[in-house]
Amino acid sequence: MHRRQFLASTSLLSAAAATLPQAVFAASRSQDADFRAMLDRFFYARLEDSPEQATSLGLDTGTRAQLKTKLDDTSRAAQTRQFARARQELAALKTVRRDALGEAARLDYDVVRYGVERVLDGERYAYGASAGRYAPYVLSQLTGAYRNVPDFLANQHRVQNASDADAYVARVEAFAGAIDAETERQQEDAAKGVFAPDFILDTTLKQLAAVRDKAPGASGLVADLSAKLKAANLPPERAMLVEKLIGDRVYPALDRQRALVTELRGRARHDAGVWRLPDGDAYYAAAASAATTVDMTGDEIHRLGLAQVAEIGARIDTILRSQGLTQGSVGDRLVALNKRPDQLYPNTDPGREQLLLQLRGQISAMTKRLPEQFAVLPRAPVEVRRVPEAIQAGAPGGYYQSASLDGTRPAIYFINLRDTFDRPKFGLATLSYHEAVPGHHLQVMSALESQDIPLIRRRGFYSGYSEGWALYAEQLADEMGLYEGDPLGQVGYLQSLLFRATRLVVDSGMHAKRWSREKATDYLIATTGIARGRSQGEIDRYTVWPGQACSYKIGHTVWVRLRDEAKRKAGAQWDPKAFHKILTMGAMPLTVLEKVARQQMT
C-alpha cells in the first residue's frame, strides 16, 4: 500500500473513550464541529471552480445560482489553481490535531488528507490531467469539452423556467471558450511530444465530425433545448439564439480544434503505451496507484492478472462443458456463444428498445431483493438510457451518473448500443448489477444521501473502492441466487470477472511491457470472447486512461477478502446488512477501507 498513507493504529471503536470526562467529550465535539466546518469550506471552494458539478448535485441555486450559467474552466490556469488550492488545503489539515477528533471525524481527516496529497502527487507531470484520474491526452475519444459539454447539457442541465433557459444559452456561449482552451493546452502538450496515438486521433476526428458536420439548426444542443423549452411551456426563441451561437462561435472553435487534431494525426505514432511520454514509466505507476489506491508495479499487476485469468477461465470451462460446449478454448467458446441468434437482439432501434426493457426488468427484480442484504437503500431512482449516439463511437460500454442531491434529477445508467452484437443477452444482467443495483447506484447514493458525513466525502470517489464494489456486487448477485436455473447468465457473470482480470494483463501489457494495440486487443478477444468491436473500444479506453482499468479487479479482491474475513469471524452471527452498512461511511482508499472494515469486526 502507499507509503504515505498515515492512518494511526488506534482503534476507531476504543472502549476507553467511555471513561473520559464529559469536558473531554465536549472539547472533542467542538473540535469535530470546527473540522467539519473546514471540510465544508473546502467543498464549497471547490464547487465554485466546478459549475458543472454544482449542477450535477443540484447545488446551483440560491447564492450559487450564477454557477448555472458557467462551464468548468478547462484552461491550464485552472489546473494551476487546483494544485494551489490543494497546497492550501493540506496546510490547513496540518493544523488539525487528528488525535483530538472523534472517531468519525478522524476517518474524514484520513480520507480527505489522502485525496489532497494524491492531487499534489500529480503536480510533477506537466501535461494532460493528473489530479485524480490520470489522462495524459487533452483531446481523445474520451476527453474534451467537444464531447463532454453537449452530453452534460442534455443530461444534467434542467430547464424549468426562463432563468434556467437563459443559463443554458449562457453555457452554450461559453462552450467555444472551453474548446479553445483545450486546443491551446493540447498545442502546448504537443510541443512536449504528448498527444494521442494515431488510432485514438482517428476516433476523435470521427466524433468531432459527428458534432460539427451538421447544420447549426440540426445540432444536438438546439434539439435538446427546443424539447426542454416546449416541456417547460417557454417560447422557442432561445433555441434560435443557441443556433446562432453554434454557427458563429462554437463551430469556428471546433474547426480550429479539428485542424489541430488533423495536424497531430499526420505525425502521430501508433504506440499505445504511456511509456513513450516524458517520464512515462513513472507516470503509469502513479496513474495505477491513483486509480487503485494500492502500490503495485506493472509486473505485479501483470502477474496478478495472469493468475486470475487462469482461475476464472477454469470456472467458466466447467459450466460451458456442462452445457455441451466443449470445442476450443474458453475464449473460442464464448465467441461462439456470442454469435448464437438466441443471444442477440436485432441491431435496430426496436431491438435496442427490447434490450433496454430487459435491463429495466433486471433492475426491478434486483431492487425487490435488496432488503435481504442492505439496511440502507437509495431513495433516488435510477433510469436506463442509451449512450448519446454522437459520442457512442468512443464511449465506454456502460457507465453510471448519480442523481442530484436535491432529488430533482434521477440517477442514470447509460449503456452503449452502437451495435447490439457487443451486448449479448447472457451478459446483460451482470452489467445491470454493476452499474445500477446493488452496484454503483446503491454504493454512490448510500453516501450521497447520507447526512452523517460531510459533503466533501459524500461526493468523494476512489476508483478502487467504487469499481471494486461494483464488481463485488456482481458476485453478490450470483451468491443471492439470481442465476439459479440460468447457467448461461452465470457464464455472463464469470465472463465479466474474467474481463476485469484480463484488464490487469492488457493495461500493464501496453503501458509497462510495451504491448501494441493489436497484441492487447487480440489477447482480450482470445481470453474473454468479447466481440471485436467492443474489445477494440476497451483497449482504446485503457490507452487514454492508463491504470484506471486495473481498479476493478484489485478493488474487487479487497472487498471480497474483507467480506469473507468478516463472515468467518461472525460465524453464526453473520449479518450481511451490518457489513454492507459500511457504504454509508462514504468512498475511501482501499487501505482505509481495510482498517475500517476490520474495526467493525472487533
Side-chain angles (χ1 to χ4, degrees):
M1 298 295 180
H2 200 285
R3 65 181 180 276
R4 294 174 64 185
Q5 292 171 340
F6 46 81
L7 283 178
S9 59
T10 54
S11 169
L12 295 177
L13 301 173
S14 172
T19 64
L20 294 176
Q22 290 300 312
V24 175
F25 280 122
S28 177
R29 284 196 298 270
S30 175
Q31 288 166 333
D32 286 0
D34 289 344
F35 180 59
R36 180 74 167 256
M38 174 188 288
L39 295 185
D40 285 345
R41 289 194 297 273
F42 288 1
F43 175 81
Y44 286 112
R46 294 180 186 183
L47 202 66
E48 289 294 324
D49 268 353
S50 184
E52 293 173 30
Q53 182 179 191
T55 294
S56 176
L57 292 171
L59 296 178
D60 55 355
T61 59
T63 58
R64 291 181 294 277
Q66 82 285 352
L67 294 177
K68 190 175 290 187
T69 68
K70 301 177 181 179
L71 297 173
D72 289 358
D73 188 344
T74 59
S75 68
R76 187 74 68 191
Q79 285 190 317
T80 301
R81 287 198 305 273
Q82 185 178 17
F83 288 124
R85 182 175 59 240
R87 286 192 294 274
Q88 293 170 353
E89 290 173 350
L90 181 58
L93 288 169
K94 288 179 177 179
T95 68
V96 176
R97 284 186 53 204
R98 180 190 181 279
D99 59 356
L101 298 174
E103 296 162 4
R106 289 200 297 273
L107 176 59
D108 294 336
Y109 180 95
D110 294 334
V111 174
V112 173
R113 181 162 175 174
Y114 179 97
V116 170
E117 291 192 332
R118 184 49 58 94
V119 168
L120 291 173
D121 283 346
E123 192 173 15
R124 62 180 287 196
Y125 302 104
Y127 54 83
S130 55
R133 173 184 285 168
Y134 279 53
Y137 312 117
V138 176
L139 298 175
S140 75
Q141 86 283 18
L142 290 175
T143 53
Y146 81 91
R147 68 178 303 284
N148 297 335
V149 169
D151 185 40
F152 163 75
L153 287 174
N155 290 301
Q156 301 199 48
H157 188 112
R158 301 174 71 247
V159 175
Q160 294 182 302
N161 52 48
S163 178
D164 293 341
D166 288 339
Y168 192 111
V169 175
R171 278 177 155 163
V172 174
E173 188 171 8
F175 186 18
I179 295 167
D180 281 335
E182 290 181 335
T183 301
E184 181 179 347
R185 281 176 52 210
Q186 183 60 86
Q187 286 175 320
E188 294 173 357
D189 285 358
K192 304 168 189 170
V194 180
F195 51 96
D198 53 9
F199 56 91
I200 295 297
L201 295 180
D202 285 338
T203 306
T204 305
L205 286 168
K206 180 178 179 180
Q207 292 187 166
L208 280 165
V211 177
R212 169 64 180 86
D213 290 348
K214 56 184 66 175
S219 72
L221 289 174
V222 172
D224 177 57
L225 181 56
S226 296
K228 289 175 177 176
L229 291 171
K230 183 177 181 180
N233 294 315
L234 293 169
E237 284 77 15
R238 291 179 182 84
M240 290 184 281
L241 286 175
V242 166
E243 179 179 349
K244 181 171 174 54
L245 284 169
I246 289 171
D248 292 349
R249 301 189 59 178
V250 175
Y251 279 0
L254 285 170
D255 288 341
R256 291 188 288 272
Q257 188 161 98
R258 183 155 64 169
L260 172 64
V261 175
T262 301
E263 186 268 322
L264 294 177
R265 173 61 182 85
R267 53 192 178 97
R269 294 171 59 175
H270 193 67
D271 301 309
V274 295
W275 52 265
R276 65 183 177 82
L277 304 180
D279 208 10
D281 290 336
Y283 186 94
Y284 178 62
S289 181
T292 64
T293 62
V294 171
D295 268 349
M296 296 176 67
T297 67
D299 283 343
E300 289 170 335
I301 293 171
H302 202 76
R303 287 195 298 272
L304 175 64
L306 290 172
Q308 295 201 354
V309 162
E311 186 269 327
I312 300 166
R315 294 171 64 188
I316 296 174
D317 178 58
T318 299
I319 299 175
L320 291 177
R321 288 183 180 279
S322 74
Q323 298 301 301
L325 300 170
T326 61
Q327 300 301 310
S329 68
V330 167
D332 290 338
R333 283 174 277 165
L334 290 171
V335 168
L337 183 60
N338 195 152
K339 292 179 179 179
R340 278 177 28 179
D342 66 313
Q343 293 299 317
L344 296 173
Y345 284 104
N347 195 36
T348 62
D349 285 341
R352 292 182 178 93
E353 187 54 39
Q354 291 175 31
L355 190 154
L356 292 171
L357 285 173
Q358 180 174 334
L359 300 183
R360 292 171 185 134
Q362 290 161 348
I363 292 170
S364 178
M366 172 56 88
T367 299
K368 294 174 183 176
R369 299 280 305 272
L370 290 178
E372 300 171 20
Q373 296 282 332
F374 302 95
V376 178
L377 301 178
R379 297 188 296 274
V382 58
E383 296 182 359
V384 182
R385 298 182 190 174
R386 283 186 65 180
V387 170
E389 291 184 63
I391 63 172
Q392 67 182 7
Y399 55 93
Y400 171 79
Q401 176 181 291
S402 66
S404 60
L405 273 171
D406 61 3
T408 59
R409 180 177 46 73
I412 304 170
Y413 152 28
F414 286 99
I415 183 168
N416 195 327
L417 297 181
R418 58 180 174 251
D419 188 341
T420 56
F421 183 76
D422 294 341
R423 290 296 171 190
K425 294 177 184 179
F426 69 89
L428 290 175
T430 200
L431 181 65
S432 295
Y433 304 145
H434 182 106
E435 299 294 346
V437 287
H440 285 315
H441 181 57
L442 192 148
Q443 177 258 309
V444 170
M445 297 312 298
S446 292
L448 199 56
E449 293 175 347
S450 172
Q451 299 300 311
D452 297 329
I453 55 178
L455 277 166
I456 198 169
R457 293 206 48 241
R458 288 161 67 182
R459 183 62 172 177
F461 178 80
Y462 289 93
S463 190
Y465 176 99
S466 297
E467 299 298 355
W469 168 267
L471 199 52
Y472 165 75
E474 296 183 41
Q475 177 174 326
L476 187 63
D478 181 48
E479 294 169 347
M480 291 169 67
L482 270 294
Y483 298 115
E484 287 182 4
D486 181 16
L488 293 185
Q490 190 173 48
V491 167
Y493 148 63
L494 290 172
Q495 184 190 39
S496 178
L497 277 187
L498 179 64
F499 169 43
R500 274 38 178 258
T502 304
R503 281 177 164 178
L504 300 176
V505 179
V506 296
D507 193 89
S508 59
M510 288 191 296
H511 298 296
K513 292 183 172 297
R514 305 195 176 193
W515 282 19
S516 68
R517 179 202 195 203
E518 290 72 23
K519 181 175 180 178
T521 304
D522 289 345
Y523 180 88
L524 181 61
I525 295 169
T527 304
T528 67
I530 290 173
R532 179 166 290 275
R534 180 181 161 203
S535 291
Q536 193 64 81
E538 289 291 333
I539 292 300
D540 292 354
R541 168 186 166 183
Y542 315 152
T543 299
V544 302
W545 283 346
Q548 190 272 341
C550 300
S551 61
Y552 296 71
K553 199 64 182 67
I554 290 173
H556 167 258
T557 301
V558 172
W559 272 109
V560 172
R561 184 175 72 242
L562 292 172
R563 192 279 308 269
D564 290 350
E565 185 178 330
K567 195 172 183 178
R568 285 194 302 271
K569 287 191 175 183
Q573 303 302 312
W574 166 246
D575 179 8
K577 295 179 183 180
F579 177 78
H580 292 148
K581 200 170 182 181
I582 198 170
L583 293 179
T584 63
M585 302 170 75
M588 58 190 81
L590 291 176
T591 302
V592 181
L593 173 65
E594 288 184 324
K595 291 181 179 292
V596 172
R598 288 183 175 129
Q599 291 300 331
Q600 289 188 329
M601 299 175 200
T602 59

